[in-house]
Amino acid sequence: MEKQNKKILWTCIQQKGDSLMNKLPNHPYHPNGRNPYAHVCSLIKDKYGESYKEIDNIMFLDVKKFIEEI
């Protein structure tokens, strides 16, 4: 993915992570609380099979929309 598109997606991930702060359910593997930014990134990786940095530019708008809908 192009550098500019990566920056835009990271901003979207940060905004979504901010909105999920203290809203994710507790989990025994995360005794100090869950990281909402990592959660968003893991959902992207689960759906697309690679990190947001590795996804092809063609999928940019689709990934952006997916993040907004989380």
Side-chain angles (χ1 to χ4, degrees):
M1 181 161 298
E2 294 176 9
K3 187 175 181 178
Q4 185 62 28
N5 287 347
K6 287 183 205 178
K7 286 182 181 183
I8 293 169
L9 287 182
W10 179 243
T11 300
C12 293
I13 290 168
Q14 288 177 311
Q15 290 171 349
K16 183 53 71 172
D18 290 345
S19 73
L20 292 174
M21 191 68 72
N22 300 317
K23 294 181 181 176
L24 296 173
N26 291 330
H27 193 277
Y29 294 147
H30 305 282
N32 296 328
R34 294 177 65 186
N35 180 336
Y37 312 103
H39 179 70
V40 173
C41 289
S42 70
L43 291 175
I44 293 169
K45 190 160 188 166
D46 288 346
K47 179 168 172 88
Y48 296 97
E50 50 196 358
S51 79
Y52 76 95
K53 296 176 184 180
E54 300 167 333
I55 296 173
D56 194 59
N57 280 315
I58 296 169
M59 299 299 294
F60 172 76
L61 291 176
D62 188 57
V63 175
K64 188 174 180 205
K65 183 177 177 185
F66 175 73
I67 294 168
E68 292 168 357
E69 292 175 352
I70 293 174

